Structure formats: structure tokens, C-alpha cells
Amino acid sequence: MLVLMNVNATEEQTQAVCKRVEELGYRTHPLPGATRVAIGITGNKGAVEADALSQLPGVAEVIAVTKPYKLVSRDMKCEDTVVRFKGSDATVGGSELALMAGPCSVESRDQLFRAAEAVAKAGARFLRGGAFKPRTSPYAFQGMGEPGLQLMAAAREAFGLLVVTEAVDHESLALVDHYADMIQIGARNMQNFALLKLAGRASKPVLLKRGLAATLDELLMAAEYIMSEGNYNVVLCERGIRTFADHARNTLDVSIIPAAKKLTHLPIIVDPSHAAGRRDTVAPLARAAIAVGADGVIVEVHCDAAHALSDGAQSLYPDQFAAMVGDLRRIAEVVGRALPQPQSKPHPQPEPSAPVVAR
Ligand code: PEP
Ligand code: MN
């Protein structure tokens, strides 16, 4: 259910409606729009007492939302959501495309800082890098854990990048919420509903990756879990799905971008690295993503990809990343968007640290 306030409704009137809805035992989600406020209502089992609400001062209309997802739906909020970050002017979903890049895993200070410097130089405003890795094999490198997050936070200070990193469970989510600027929920956890609810109570925006075999509806319902808990800063991410095709690690489903844009106001970016599985096809897929209307890309970059502890085969070298960004700039212009320009950053003092050894 959605309560649409009048264009000239006062703040007090909006608050009075929220109070009434909460008295009825439901949850309110104020959704400020360009011209008027809408109030999303969730938690109702059947029809909300629409008549009682429609007669409150300042209310223009009470609308039933018939889709299973409410808060993520364009029915609730027709304008595109622009996700913003504290202390930064970087956005996801605005006219500037989001450029997120960095290694699959944080391995050492030296490895992370080299990658961070390279991606910042090419224009990235977000540094990716996993400290908690969901690996297919329990014997594969599982990530550095909290020390990895501390390195990400140090790289943020050194290069002025926002950091995005994955949380895999309750414990790591609390740590990621503390150290990072954006919480990544990985493909394998897209339907970990307990984790989604927790991310919904976290303070940072969430990057929600599509599950390996998830439909668009399932992805939107996963985002709804996060939003229903009060975190409205959610960015969706297409990262390739499992199909019969065996020429790539996964099949990049570019068709989900325009389909998602129709149904939801949330931004959606593309991860061409996990779709491609090999570095020579990352750039073409990234170009397709921007052409089809994605709000950005997240790309794996490693200065010594041959010795990476995870996903080396699909990691770009810095010069390949910079060349790809050059191509994306030209395509962005065609679709009426722009990529961020490189910012001038302080140069950090190198401080060597021992690399983590994979077992
Ligand atoms: C990753 O970003 O390194 C990762 C594990 O991604 P996904 O969850 O899409 O497999
Ligand atoms: Mn990876």
C-alpha cells in the first residue's frame, strides 16, 4: 500500500499519517520524491484501512501495490534512486556512471595499494577487494578477514576511494559495516534471508549481486528484504548466470538491465569479470553493459594477476583497465552518461607487508 501526499502537504501532516499507520501495526517508509512525499506501508497481511487513511489531512491518494515487491518497485517511487555516500560526492544511479575496480581478494598492503593507485589513476571512485571470500573449495584462500578490511580502510585514506567489500555472515557484516563504505552481498548469498535482513539494518549502502540461478523477481525480492528493514540504499548487480553455455564462466545477462529498469527505481551495475571468467572478454562485456544502460561496472584488477590468490585469470592488468575505461567513456557519452575523471590523490608512503600465502 502507498499513501501519496499532496504536493503542498506539510511535514506535520506526513508525520501524522505515519503515526496513524504505525498505530494500525504496520511499518512506514517515507519516500520523498521530486514534487511530493509518498509513504510506503509494509507489514500488512490484508488490505490496509484505506478509507481511514485517505481522509487524513494532506493525503492525496491511497494506492494498492499489487506486486510482491513493494519498496523496490517503481509503483512506490517512480524517480531513479541515486545512492550517495557519506563524506563523498560519488554516486551510483546518477548521471555519473559508477566505476568500481580492484582485486578479487585483498592479499597484502603492497598488492592492494598498487591496484588502488592504478584504478584511481584511471578514474575509479570505488575500490573493490574481498576480505571474506566465499570460495567453492574450503581449501582455497578464504580471505584475510579483519586485517584485510583494515587495509581497505587505509587504501581509502591514501587514494580517496570509497571501499566496497563482501560480507558473508553476521560477524563479517558487522565488521564490513564498520570499515567499508558499501557492503557487498555475493551471488551465493543472494537468498540468505537472515543476512539480507541484517544488511537492511546496517548503516552503509548495499551492493546486492544476482544469484547464479536467480530470476529478476527473485533478485528484486532479495532487495525488498534489505529495504523492508529500513536500508533504502541498495544497488543491484548482474554478474552472469549459470547456463548451458560453456565458453564463458557464466553468461552475462545484459537483458536484465532494461527489464530491471522498468520494474525498479534502484540502480543496477554489471560485473563483467565474474561473467567472463577470462581477462580477454572482460572489456567487451563491460562495453555492452554501459551500452545497454547499466549504472556502472565493477571490475577485477590485479597488478600481478598471474600470482593472484583468487580469480587471477579474469583480472585485468592496470593498462588493460585504463584502456577499457577509455572505451567506456566514449560509449557513456552516446547513452547520455559520463564516467568520473581521475582525481588528484596524495601519494602514500609504501610500507611493505608480507603477502598472505594460499594454502
Ligand atoms: C567477487 O566479487 O569476488 C565474488 C565472489 O563475486 P560473486 O558473488 O558474484 O561470485
Ligand atoms: Mn572474484
Side-chain angles (χ1 to χ4, degrees), residues 17 47 53 87 99 128 146 190 216 238 260 284 306 343 358:
V17 173
L53 297 177
L99 189 55
R128 66 143 290 146
E146 189 171 0
M190 192 206 83
L216 173 55
E238 160 62 27
Q343 322 239 316

Side-chain angles (χ1 to χ4, degrees), residues 285-300:
L285 296 185
R287 296 197 296 264
I290 300 306
V292 84
D295 294 296
V297 287
I298 180 165
V299 179
E300 288 184 339

Side-chain angles (χ1 to χ4, degrees), residues 57-79:
V59 172
E61 215 180 333
V62 180
I63 304 164
V65 178
T66 49
K67 298 213 175 60
Y69 37 86
K70 315 279 180 200
L71 301 170
V72 306
S73 154
R74 282 231 190 249
D75 295 353
M76 280 268 192
K77 178 173 181 270
C78 63
E79 300 106 352

Side-chain angles (χ1 to χ4, degrees), residues 103-105 128 130 133-134 166 184-188 209-210 212 239 249 271 274 298 300 311 314:
C104 177
S105 300
R128 66 143 290 146
K133 298 303 302 177
E166 181 164 358
Q184 179 177 326
I185 302 289
R188 288 152 194 85
K209 300 187 91 175
R210 180 184 183 184
L212 274 71
R239 44 78 73 207
R249 183 174 178 186
D271 172 348
H274 289 85
I298 180 165
E300 288 184 339
D311 286 347
Q314 66 196 31

Side-chain angles (χ1 to χ4, degrees), residues 99-161:
L99 189 55
M100 307 183 181
C104 177
S105 300
V106 180
E107 300 169 11
S108 69
R109 186 182 194 276
D110 181 56
Q111 170 253 10
L112 182 66
F113 274 46
R114 283 174 66 200
E117 186 168 28
V119 301
K121 220 168 125 187
R125 305 209 57 188
F126 296 80
L127 175 66
R128 66 143 290 146
F132 296 93
K133 298 303 302 177
R135 304 301 300 279
T136 304
S137 163
Y139 309 117
F141 177 55
Q142 303 286 309
M144 286 180 72
E146 189 171 0
L149 295 181
Q150 288 164 342
L151 289 178
M152 288 291 275
R156 169 184 42 224
E157 298 314 313
F159 300 101
L161 295 163

Side-chain angles (χ1 to χ4, degrees), residues 4 18 40 61-62 66 88 98 142 147 164 169 185 197 233 242 253-254 356:
L4 205 58
C18 289
E61 215 180 333
V62 180
T66 49
S88 165
Q142 303 286 309
V164 49
D169 53 21
I185 302 289
K197 283 189 192 173
N233 293 309
R242 189 62 65 80
D253 177 17
V254 287
V356 177

